[in-house]
Amino acid sequence: MTKNALIHYRILWKPTGNQPGAKRGSSAGIGDQLRALVLLRDHPDPRRTDLRASMRDPFEQIWVRDFNLNASLKVIVLADASASMGYQGTVNRLAVTEDITSQLALSAYRSGDAFGFYAANSEMINKLTLPTRINRSAWLWVKQHLSTLEPSGNNADGLLKVSSLLPKQRCLVFVISDFRWTKDKTAKLFKALNHHDVVPIVLQDPSEIDQIPNRGIATLQDMETGRTQFVWMRPALKTQIAKARIEHIKTLQDTSRIYGYKPFLVKGKFKPESLTQYFMERSV
């Protein structure tokens, strides 16, 4: 974990709650965003007296500034633990998941935000559940526990069950997966999470296309079912596989757009600054 590898995430909404943090909240309190001018008797804090407003008042009443509280938010990661996440090509897909999650956990703590983690395949994995709270060692917990995970199962339907366990107030939720799901299952999960601010993080591996030979016998394996198939590779088949991959991403983007989300693609290794750039562009 490098010292400067922090992710600076931005949100376009105001978190609720009274837990102090770095984000502009919607409740009254100590912050840097002026909320209103109120009478001293209603907000007895003479340190925030507004002299100009008080001098202009014909009734000679004392007015003070009322600010929005700088509040913390809840950052939650949902990780796909199905068999396809065990794919190892140019990179180890599970190791990339671990890297992203640990960086988010550390970044959340440095921002004064709560962090939570859930993993699921066909069922929620209880031993890989970290309750959402401010936790300075959450990134270390992630590294210790994800390193023991063995992806299994042919789906990630357990994430739907996790969605019902999330806090009722709006959270920043990251869904990390290769999204090798049907369009209907993706839409069902996104609909269940629609109350939250969701960032789908799509893991791709360059070897899935770039390292496939143009000609010759190749062994293709379905990571979800474990089935293998021998095929005679040729340029037309490789083009067909590449086209299917592009269509898969387009379908995911279209489904995400319906719910107001924007997928973040990780091709190979994860770079924290690229996710920070994603949030910068999203806030424009």
Side-chain angles (χ1 to χ4, degrees):
M1 178 71 64
T2 57
K3 185 177 292 186
N4 296 322
L6 294 180
I7 300 165
H8 302 282
Y9 46 83
R10 292 187 175 188
I11 57 175
L12 303 179
W13 45 276
K14 295 179 180 179
T16 58
N18 298 314
Q19 180 67 40
K23 306 296 185 293
R24 290 181 174 179
S26 58
S27 304
I30 299 175
D32 56 6
Q33 184 182 31
L34 182 64
R35 178 185 177 90
L37 291 175
V38 298
L39 291 173
L40 179 63
R41 66 168 181 265
D42 298 326
H43 191 79
D45 186 354
R47 295 173 301 174
R48 301 188 179 277
T49 300
D50 190 310
L51 294 178
R52 291 186 177 182
S54 301
M55 293 179 65
R56 288 197 303 264
D57 190 333
F59 300 103
E60 299 183 351
Q61 299 181 99
I62 305 298
W63 293 82
V64 296
R65 299 185 185 93
D66 186 22
F67 292 86
N68 281 327
L69 175 71
N70 282 351
S72 67
L73 60 91
K74 291 180 172 63
V75 178
I76 300 174
V77 172
L78 308 185
D80 178 358
S82 62
S84 65
M85 292 294 286
Y87 177 80
Q88 296 188 39
T90 304
V91 296
N92 183 320
R93 192 166 285 167
L94 187 59
V96 175
T97 300
E98 177 188 315
D99 191 21
I100 296 171
T101 305
S102 59
Q103 303 281 14
L104 285 169
L106 180 61
S107 300
Y109 174 71
R110 294 284 179 85
S111 298
D113 296 329
F115 178 83
F117 177 80
Y118 298 86
N121 40 41
S122 58
E123 298 290 337
M124 187 177 79
I125 304 175
N126 292 324
K127 67 178 182 179
L128 287 176
T129 297
L130 182 66
T132 308
R133 58 188 176 88
I134 296 177
N135 187 345
R136 67 180 301 174
S137 60
W139 69 272
L140 185 58
W141 182 95
V142 168
K143 283 188 168 295
Q144 291 174 341
H145 286 73
L146 277 186
S147 62
T148 65
L149 174 63
E150 295 184 3
S152 62
N154 59 6
N155 63 68
D157 293 351
L159 292 179
L160 275 172
K161 300 177 182 179
V162 171
S163 64
S164 64
L165 302 177
L166 300 185
K168 299 301 180 184
Q169 64 268 36
R170 197 175 191 188
C171 306
L172 179 59
V173 178
F174 296 86
V175 181
I176 304 178
S177 174
D178 54 10
F179 287 91
R180 299 301 172 87
W181 314 332
T182 64
K183 180 180 178 180
D184 291 342
K185 285 190 175 183
T186 302
K188 194 172 182 180
L189 177 62
F190 285 175
K191 183 177 180 180
L193 296 172
N194 200 33
H195 175 64
H196 301 289
D197 186 354
V198 178
V199 178
I201 297 183
V202 188
L203 304 187
Q204 294 184 328
D205 197 300
S207 67
E208 293 176 291
I209 297 295
D210 299 341
Q211 295 181 13
I212 296 179
N214 289 323
R215 294 187 183 276
I217 296 176
T219 303
L220 303 182
Q221 181 179 20
D222 187 330
M223 295 297 295
E224 301 287 358
T225 63
R227 295 178 181 176
T228 59
Q229 181 178 0
F230 293 98
V231 297
W232 176 257
M233 289 302 303
R234 54 198 183 277
L237 180 56
K238 185 174 182 179
T239 300
Q240 184 179 346
I241 294 174
K243 183 179 179 181
R245 186 185 191 187
I246 294 172
E247 289 178 351
H248 168 253
I249 294 299
K250 185 179 185 303
T251 299
L252 176 61
Q253 291 173 334
D254 292 342
T255 305
S256 300
R257 194 176 297 114
I258 293 173
Y259 298 94
Y261 309 150
K262 179 183 177 183
F264 172 72
L265 271 59
V266 178
K267 298 180 180 180
K269 293 184 179 180
F270 170 65
K271 299 178 181 179
E273 60 271 17
S274 62
L275 187 50
T276 296
Q277 182 65 30
Y278 164 89
F279 280 102
M280 295 285 287
E281 294 173 353
R282 197 179 74 151
S283 63
V284 174

